[in-house]
Amino acid sequence: MDTLVGLLPIILMFVIFYFLLIRPQQKKQKQVQQMQSDLQKGDRIITIGGMHGTIHAIDEGTLVISVQDGTQMKFDRSSVREKLN
């Protein structure tokens, strides 16, 4: 019984840690993966490196992005940070 009472604060800290840090991070990661899988040709995006562009072509795991001067670059789909409205 004393062992259980001694472990209770550690268990409580783990539960709090899970609900404050781990669960929200997993939820955010799921939203990012959904956004990346929903990308379509013509969407305006920002990459993780800060490159702004428009999707010119989409392949299974890669995107061809056109930037302002017409240059086209190939990126991994996972390098997209944000989709602009």
Side-chain angles (χ1 to χ4, degrees):
M1 188 66 170
D2 289 336
T3 307
L4 183 62
V5 172
L7 288 176
L8 191 60
I10 295 171
I11 294 170
L12 186 61
M13 282 179 23
F14 181 75
V15 169
I16 291 170
F17 183 76
Y18 175 78
F19 282 105
L20 291 178
L21 297 174
I22 297 172
R23 190 165 177 245
Q25 182 64 29
Q26 289 175 339
K27 192 174 182 182
K28 174 77 172 165
Q29 184 65 27
K30 194 176 283 188
Q31 288 174 340
V32 168
Q33 288 175 343
Q34 183 65 38
M35 179 271 302
Q36 289 172 345
S37 67
D38 291 344
L39 291 173
Q40 298 177 354
K41 183 177 177 179
D43 287 344
R44 292 181 21 194
I45 60 165
I46 301 174
T47 66
I48 291 172
M51 179 77 63
H52 291 243
T54 304
I55 298 175
H56 180 72
I58 297 179
D59 197 4
E60 183 67 29
T62 59
L63 308 168
V64 177
I65 300 173
S66 296
V67 293
Q68 189 171 11
D69 68 353
T71 304
Q72 295 182 350
M73 293 179 254
K74 193 172 191 178
F75 285 90
D76 286 339
R77 189 181 285 251
S78 62
S79 68
V80 176
R81 179 183 77 197
E82 180 180 348
K83 179 180 168 185
L84 302 174
N85 292 334

